[in-house]
Amino acid sequence: MKESSIKEDLSIAYMSAICAAAGIAFDLQRHDDDSTDAIIKKLIVLSEARKCEVSLRVQLKATSSPSQYKEDNEKLTYVLKTKNYNDLRTASTTPIILAVLILPEDESDWLKWTKEELMIKGRMFWRNFQSSSETENKNTISVMIPKENYLNPDTLLKLLQKMAEEV
């Protein structure tokens, strides 16, 4: 299997595990012409009388290559294809986020298994680009993702809760 396919599968496994831990439905999309790799859904209870079914589309990316990303204490800068960026900034009734899994450079560190646990070593960050401006770039664009936008079960639930409150 190609390294890029392995990274893609690890990003799917990572997001799927986060969703499972948070009780969020995770559905892979067979065709992602619109840069949608998955749709996540959850019924959010806002009050006894008010509930909201929230859906969010996700574009998954994974990298271990320092040529693909740079980071400092506050942000991650990721090189994204212009086509994906334009898809991510397109207005939609179902919002879409970019979720980037940063893996260690050494492939042997990506996944660890013991009799007691299975661990994907990496960190996933997200960003919504729907209010971002158009780019004149032809092939790629460097996008900034705040490092406070890390994904774990709690932060994903908070993101869906915020979406439900804005409806």
Side-chain angles (χ1 to χ4, degrees):
M1 185 185 293
K2 292 185 341 184
E3 184 178 288
S4 60
S5 297
I6 295 169
K7 289 176 184 178
E8 179 182 351
D9 286 352
L10 286 172
S11 71
I12 291 167
Y14 194 99
M15 178 61 86
S16 178
I18 288 172
C19 288
I24 298 168
F26 176 82
D27 296 315
L28 280 176
Q29 299 299 291
R30 287 189 47 217
H31 305 288
D32 74 340
D33 294 337
D34 64 349
S35 298
T36 301
D37 293 314
I39 297 177
I40 62 174
K41 299 182 283 190
K42 180 149 180 82
L43 180 65
I44 302 292
V45 178
L46 297 167
S47 69
E48 203 171 294
R50 189 167 170 235
K51 297 175 185 175
C52 182
E53 179 74 38
V54 180
S55 295
L56 179 65
R57 297 180 301 139
V58 182
Q59 166 73 68
L60 292 166
K61 296 290 183 187
T63 188
S64 62
S65 172
S67 66
Q68 189 79 33
Y69 77 98
K70 303 283 185 253
E71 65 181 306
D72 59 31
N73 291 337
E74 298 173 10
K75 68 182 178 309
L76 177 79
T77 304
Y78 179 75
V79 178
L80 183 65
K81 290 180 183 174
T82 302
K83 188 260 190 233
N84 293 131
Y85 174 79
N86 287 331
D87 288 347
L88 291 165
R89 57 176 294 284
T90 302
S92 174
T93 56
T94 306
I96 185 169
I97 61 169
L98 171 67
V100 180
L101 176 63
I102 304 298
L103 295 163
E105 280 188 69
D106 185 347
E107 185 176 347
S108 66
D109 290 333
W110 294 353
L111 187 121
K112 299 292 183 190
W113 176 88
T114 68
K115 290 180 182 179
E116 289 81 31
E117 65 185 1
L118 175 67
M119 181 179 72
I120 299 171
K121 188 171 183 179
R123 303 162 292 137
M124 187 173 271
F125 300 93
W126 69 274
R127 176 147 177 222
N128 181 331
F129 291 94
Q130 283 194 314
S131 62
S132 298
S133 57
E134 190 172 347
T135 181
E136 306 249 342
N137 296 15
K138 299 291 182 219
N139 299 313
T140 62
I141 180 172
S142 292
V143 296
M144 190 276 299
I145 304 171
K147 286 182 91 174
E148 64 190 23
N149 287 9
Y150 59 89
L151 276 177
N152 66 29
D154 291 335
T155 60
L156 190 54
L157 278 171
K158 286 177 184 171
L159 178 61
L160 296 178
Q161 177 79 29
K162 184 176 184 241
M163 288 173 61
E165 290 168 355
E166 292 173 353
V167 173

